[in-house]
Amino acid sequence: MEYNCKEFKVGKCEGEKLVDGETLPLVLTPPDVSKNGIESLLEALGNNKEWFDDMVTKNSAVLLRGFDVKNAVEFNDIVETFGWEDIRYVGPAPRTHIHKRIWTANEGPLSEFIYYHHEMVLINEFPKKVILFCEVPPPEGGETPFVPSFKVTERMMEEFPEFVEEVEAKGLKYTFIALNSDNTTSMRGRGWQDAFATNDQQEAERRARALGMDVEWLENGSIKTILGPRPLTKVFEGRKGRRMWFNTLVGMYGKELSSAMMADGTEIPSDIVKRCEEIIEEESIQFKWEKGDVLFLDNYATLHGRRPSLPPRRVLVATCK
């Protein structure tokens, strides 16, 4: 598929990589300086919806750069141009609703690294696309690194083929504790009332089970969610038959509020988890945020995270089916 759209020009960004013949991220800029306004951008996207969607699938990540996108309202206009259905975020990250389909990204302390993950990977229904808008770029750090997921599977298969096939056969089981109230000092500090959008314990249980979770109430009022079996990898249509590393094994393994093991209870060797963490980092791609950047990630094909940064940093997010 060629870059045959006259309403965008292919650009470059520091940190981009060539992966299996594709540039990640694909950077699209205005064709000339007179076309950098929001109205020109909305018109160009509206005229090329199918082509743009194809580019996100083909390259796994597309960065719109050099357009004068100012705020959440204009970001929402971009998101709504495509007609993609909204999907509500479910998870532990503290977030604030800003405008229509737009939320803050994880509001956990900027000093913390948010580990690589496919958005809502543990839920029965997860977004196809994650779209991020940089309203205020950080003075230092704060990148949103992402990883082509199939590369992690390839390398884990090379180094630990028997382990991969064992976990594929058994599946994974995770546990996670949602606190009894919000704690914005933690990147996983979302209380169960906010996570399940109810103050009623029975309704929270119903909603959790509808999402594919078993639950256990703890004495302190927190809720322990149990998820499994869940797959280690997934293959999605239209992505060259690639096996995506569609799990959060490293992110939840051996943490204060979470755990990860094989679905039959078999413990996972820590050295394998450590090596997987190293592989994910080695395959990561990142660029420095610029004001007005809009990044489209194929959530089926990429894990993403957040580097620690100095304040201020304001990145907004929308998730789409």
Side-chain angles (χ1 to χ4, degrees):
M1 195 176 303
E2 300 297 326
Y3 308 120
N4 55 2
C5 180
K6 295 180 180 179
E7 294 181 86
F8 294 99
K9 185 170 67 174
V10 177
K12 287 187 170 294
C13 70
E14 185 178 354
E16 67 181 39
K17 285 185 181 180
L18 191 66
V19 179
D20 201 23
E22 308 295 349
T23 302
L24 278 67
L26 170 64
V27 181
L28 297 179
T29 65
D32 59 68
V33 293
S34 67
K35 300 288 188 179
N36 73 336
I38 185 63
E39 294 302 325
S40 294
L41 174 58
L42 293 175
E43 182 180 2
L45 293 174
N47 291 339
N48 299 278
K49 294 179 188 178
E50 184 176 350
W51 175 84
F52 191 90
D53 198 353
D54 288 342
M55 289 299 102
V56 176
T57 300
K58 175 176 176 287
N59 290 76
S60 301
V62 174
L63 175 64
L64 294 178
R65 172 163 284 182
F67 296 95
D68 188 22
V69 186
K70 297 185 179 69
N71 52 45
V73 174
E74 294 182 351
F75 178 37
N76 186 77
D77 290 341
I78 292 170
V79 174
E80 291 192 338
T81 295
F82 296 97
W84 298 326
E85 189 177 348
D86 188 38
I87 183 169
R88 187 182 187 276
Y89 171 74
V90 177
R95 293 182 171 183
T96 300
H97 182 241
I98 302 298
H99 173 75
K100 292 187 177 179
R101 298 174 61 167
I102 309 306
W103 295 71
T104 58
N106 192 320
E107 294 179 334
L110 290 177
S111 58
E112 294 188 36
F113 175 50
I114 297 175
Y115 195 70
Y116 301 98
H117 58 285
H118 290 273
E119 198 69 24
M120 292 166 56
V121 65
L122 299 181
I123 309 302
N124 289 340
E125 186 177 33
F126 38 81
K128 183 177 181 180
K129 293 179 178 67
V130 174
I131 312 171
L132 299 156
F133 162 60
C134 182
E135 189 172 29
V136 179
E140 182 179 319
E143 299 89 351
T144 299
F146 61 92
V147 178
S149 193
F150 79 97
K151 293 295 293 182
V152 183
T153 305
E154 284 183 351
R155 294 186 59 184
M156 288 295 289
M157 283 292 295
E158 289 170 1
E159 296 191 29
F160 306 104
E162 293 180 358
F163 166 77
V164 171
E165 294 309 328
E166 181 182 6
V167 180
E168 287 279 48
K170 294 180 177 179
L172 288 164
K173 180 170 75 174
Y174 305 93
T175 68
F176 182 79
I177 296 174
L179 303 175
N180 61 0
S181 61
D182 288 345
N183 176 11
T184 56
T185 66
S186 170
M187 65 181 181
R188 290 182 170 179
R190 198 178 189 197
W192 64 262
Q193 299 92 335
D194 188 18
F196 296 112
T198 180
N199 291 317
D200 182 84
Q201 288 190 346
Q202 289 186 336
E203 179 61 19
E205 286 187 29
R206 188 193 69 77
R207 295 181 183 184
R209 291 195 169 96
L211 293 166
M213 307 175 185
D214 291 324
V215 299
E216 175 186 331
W217 290 98
L218 306 181
E219 290 184 1
N220 64 2
S222 300
I223 185 173
K224 181 180 181 179
T225 59
I226 302 136
L227 305 97
R230 292 290 190 272
L232 183 72
T233 68
K234 265 184 170 297
V235 176
F236 294 97
E237 184 179 354
R239 287 156 183 82
K240 300 182 180 179
R242 293 166 170 168
R243 288 173 69 180
M244 306 302 182
W245 192 252
F246 209 74
N247 65 76
T248 184
L249 168 60
V250 176
M252 294 187 73
Y253 179 87
K255 303 297 191 298
E256 180 182 1
L257 296 177
S258 65
S259 68
M261 64 195 74
M262 295 188 205
D264 66 354
T266 303
E267 292 294 327
I268 296 172
S270 60
D271 62 315
I272 293 180
V273 178
K274 178 64 177 175
R275 180 56 187 145
C276 183
E277 181 178 5
E278 292 171 351
I279 288 170
I280 290 172
E281 186 59 52
E282 289 165 7
E283 295 294 337
S284 68
I285 299 165
Q286 67 181 31
F287 59 89
K288 295 289 186 184
W289 280 115
E290 295 183 6
K291 182 176 175 59
D293 280 352
V294 181
L295 176 66
F296 292 74
L297 292 174
D298 180 354
N299 189 49
Y300 292 177
T302 58
L303 306 108
H304 69 278
R306 187 197 71 187
R307 300 279 187 213
S309 79
L310 295 177
R313 178 189 189 272
R314 185 173 170 85
V315 174
L316 305 181
V317 64
T319 47
C320 306
K321 293 183 181 180

